[in-house]
Amino acid sequence: MRKRAAVLFGAAAVVAGSLTAVPADATTSHPAAAVRAAGVSWKKCGTTDHPTLQCGSLKVPLDYRHPSGRQITLALSRVPHTAKTYQGPLLVNPGGPGGSGLSLPSFVASSLPEAVAAQYDVIGFDPRGVGASEPAMNCAPDHFKPVRPDSVPSTPALEKANLARVRSYAAACGRKYASLLPHIDTVDAATDMDSIRRALGARKVNYFGYSYGTYLGAVYARLFPERVRRLVLDSIVDPTGVWYEDNLQQDHAFNDRHRAFMAWIAKYDSTYRLGTDPARVEAKWYKMRAALAKHPAGGRVGASELEDTFMPGGYYNGYWPSLAKAFAAYVNDGKTGPLVQAYAGFGAVNASGDNGYSVYSSVQCRDTAWPHDWSQWRADNWAVYGKAPFMTWNNAWYNAPCAFWPAASKPRPVNIANGQLPPALLFQATDDAATPYEGGVTVHHLLARSSLVVEQGGGNHGITLSGNACLDKYLARYLTDGTVPRGHAGPADAVCQKLPDPKPQGAKTSAAPTASGASRGATLHGLLGFR
């Protein structure tokens, strides 16, 4: 990860000044103030693993400026409190945008200390357009069907093919969801959260969000500051770069994280036989990529699909052993089966993924203005690619529908700066690729009285409730009585050391995380997903 935090300390306030300012009286003038939300009727929907889970739904206006107009439905889930001490609803969100949140309450409730979880109704929800909420979006089901053109537009023909794909996708969204697209964005999703609060009969809510969920939570807090009781943000989006600049910054961080993975493989040369020099291991990876661009593995894994497959390793190092095994099998033995299997597990997009990407695109393209001159995208991404080739162009095409989006975008993102909140608790790993470290530092400065807990050397995305007892101690203490750490040197208020990196599959080590911790980490990252 590139260390830019020292520069941002002084720059955050200046950059934030260019963002949309929400009026100080937003909580009384906001259209949602005129909407009365009915209560939620909860029904049992528990499973063997999560027997207490309940499900419900809530109708909200598609357009909060016209509360009596068309209604849409939000799908909700709940693990109810069981303790005599009740601290209210704890809304949880896994990120995305486009991530389903219905399974997250069970995970959060079972991963927190029992005495803490018992004091909250842990509430999950599918944001508008997502999953079980109605209507659920799916713009173009075959958009990620393999084999796609090589993501790196090294020839005019490849650039033309990729441009045709993203133009077609944007047009498909416009044809199918013309009436929906102007209302799929972070502000509307945050306003839906306040409708959920009212339906629950709560004067205030507690909130716990990962990844994009940190921006959603910060926007909610800006719109409705007096409704926030406690606020936990884990793996934090830089709100000053939403969304074009943030994606470019991701490219550098993912490249660094990919190189950390290559170094890990080199460390275990006795297992993977790919060499002891990380640079040479990386060269073999790019040689594999070049070969797959010409001859896709199993007719399914070309260069772009290979990037899709290895990109999750930048989110969670628990995937490294499986990915390294597939890499080694292809390079050393010419076996394509493990690579195809890895693609099926990590890279392939199913119907749920199609839905998530549809909402992801809609939110990102609507939230703020994007460049509409393709020459700017071309110049910016080639410049980044020269330093960070791993996923720059893959990421560019993933977001490129925003250059051609059929719905109008807002001129700039919300200014989340906030001096009206109780102390918020922020968690950030120093080597996080998806939401680089400086985003956590920036939000720490923008949210007065917030406290930042840093995982030193950590590279995973989503770090609490993932096996690190030091981080979880601060989370449990905060949810118990609102206590936040104070006083560590530098931007962080507390520092926890990262968990050890994984060992190759089958290796034994006393230094590895506990089985329960590793299991929770895998479960969490399965819920958070990628992108």
Side-chain angles (χ1 to χ4, degrees):
M1 190 197 92
R2 295 171 308 130
K3 308 295 189 217
R4 296 192 297 115
V7 176
L8 286 177
F9 294 164
V14 175
V15 177
S18 66
L19 305 179
T20 300
V22 178
D25 62 349
T27 54
T28 58
S29 63
H30 196 278
V35 179
R36 297 184 63 186
V40 179
S41 178
W42 297 104
K43 297 180 180 180
K44 293 181 179 180
C45 61
T47 64
T48 301
D49 293 334
H50 308 291
T52 64
L53 190 66
Q54 301 174 347
C55 296
S57 62
L58 177 66
K59 289 189 179 298
V60 299
L62 172 64
D63 185 347
Y64 278 97
R65 296 171 301 177
H66 304 287
S68 299
R70 179 183 174 186
Q71 304 290 295
I72 59 175
T73 303
L74 303 179
L76 311 178
S77 62
R78 177 177 76 164
V79 175
H81 74 283
T82 56
K84 291 182 179 179
T85 300
Y86 177 51
Q87 300 209 46
L90 173 64
L91 273 64
V92 296
N93 181 272
S100 171
L102 297 183
S103 298
L104 191 57
S106 294
F107 173 81
V108 170
S110 62
S111 299
L112 286 169
E114 184 176 355
V116 177
Q119 298 178 38
Y120 290 91
D121 287 342
V122 186
I123 308 291
F125 59 100
D126 277 356
R128 52 176 57 203
V130 174
S133 291
E134 298 175 355
M137 299 180 68
N138 192 340
C139 294
D142 293 332
H143 185 66
F144 290 101
K145 183 180 179 180
V147 172
R148 308 196 308 275
D150 190 333
S151 66
V152 179
S154 54
T155 67
L158 282 171
E159 182 178 54
K160 183 178 180 179
N162 278 301
L163 279 171
R165 285 185 69 252
V166 298
R167 286 180 185 271
S168 175
Y169 187 84
C173 289
R175 285 193 304 271
K176 295 178 74 171
Y177 303 110
S179 64
L180 200 61
L181 294 185
H183 309 289
I184 304 293
D185 57 46
T186 300
V187 169
D188 277 308
T191 309
D192 286 342
M193 286 171 52
D194 206 58
S195 293
I196 295 172
R197 175 196 62 77
R198 291 194 305 277
L200 297 173
R203 188 172 65 88
K204 294 187 177 186
V205 294
N206 310 280
Y207 179 82
F208 180 8
Y210 291 95
S211 189
Y212 162 78
T214 65
Y215 183 62
L216 175 61
V219 170
Y220 177 82
R222 180 63 171 166
L223 293 172
F224 307 101
E226 82 287 2
R227 299 303 184 188
V228 177
R229 183 173 179 270
R230 289 186 185 143
L231 181 67
V232 181
L233 308 180
D234 182 328
S235 303
I236 299 164
V237 167
D238 185 342
T240 67
V242 171
W243 290 107
Y244 184 74
E245 289 297 330
D246 276 353
N247 280 288
L248 292 175
Q249 298 311 318
Q250 269 191 340
D251 298 336
H252 292 279
F254 267 104
N255 200 74
D256 289 344
R257 195 66 184 146
H258 185 63
R259 286 179 171 169
F261 177 30
M262 299 295 102
W264 179 87
I265 292 174
K267 179 180 178 181
Y268 294 106
D269 179 56
S270 61
T271 299
Y272 299 114
R273 298 181 293 117
L274 289 167
T276 59
D277 180 354
R280 292 188 176 184
V281 175
E282 184 180 17
K284 290 181 179 180
W285 191 91
Y286 282 103
K287 184 177 180 181
M288 173 176 66
R289 186 193 184 285
L292 292 170
K294 296 178 179 178
H295 303 288
R300 290 180 60 80
V301 185
S304 295
E305 289 75 26
L306 181 74
E307 292 166 341
D308 297 344
T309 303
F310 277 74
M311 180 267 297
Y315 281 81
Y316 178 49
N317 62 6
Y319 301 141
W320 287 1
S322 295
L323 293 172
K325 183 178 179 181
F327 177 16
Y330 181 87
V331 171
N332 294 330
D333 304 315
K335 294 181 178 179
T336 59
L339 204 56
V340 173
Q341 184 178 4
Y343 168 70
F346 297 118
V349 177
N350 57 18
S352 175
D354 285 330
N355 166 243
Y357 180 63
S358 299
V359 178
Y360 171 96
S361 300
S362 301
V363 171
Q364 293 229 338
C365 298
R366 169 71 177 153
D367 267 357
T368 189
W370 290 72
H372 291 289
D373 181 351
W374 183 252
S375 65
Q376 181 178 344
W377 289 69
R378 182 190 295 118
D380 289 345
N381 282 279
W382 275 123
V384 174
Y385 177 84
K387 299 178 181 178
F390 169 57
M391 67 165 283
T392 293
W393 275 108
N394 188 296
N395 201 22
W397 297 120
Y398 196 83
N399 292 281
C402 293
F404 312 103
W405 201 243
S409 300
K410 296 178 179 180
R412 56 186 65 86
V414 173
N415 179 355
I416 63 98
N418 205 322
Q420 303 180 59
L421 299 176
L425 185 59
L426 317 180
F427 292 92
Q428 185 66 45
T430 57
D431 297 339
D432 183 351
T435 52
Y437 173 75
E438 46 265 34
V441 174
T442 298
V443 172
H444 182 31
H445 284 274
L446 292 174
L447 299 185
R449 296 182 296 281
S450 64
S451 180
L452 176 62
V453 180
V454 168
E455 187 181 47
Q456 186 65 43
N460 289 339
H461 180 67
I463 54 176
T464 57
L465 304 184
S466 191
N468 190 319
C470 175
L471 298 171
D472 292 350
K473 173 188 67 177
Y474 290 111
L475 175 63
R477 188 178 299 166
Y478 179 69
L479 292 177
T480 297
D481 59 16
T483 299
V484 296
R486 299 290 188 199
H488 191 277
D493 294 284
V495 175
C496 295
Q497 295 304 307
K498 73 165 188 172
L499 295 173
D501 285 334
K503 296 288 183 178
Q505 291 172 341
K508 295 181 179 180
T509 171
S510 59
T514 63
S516 60
S519 176
R520 281 202 286 124
T523 301
L524 172 65
H525 289 89
L527 292 171
L528 300 187
F530 322 126
R531 303 277 187 180

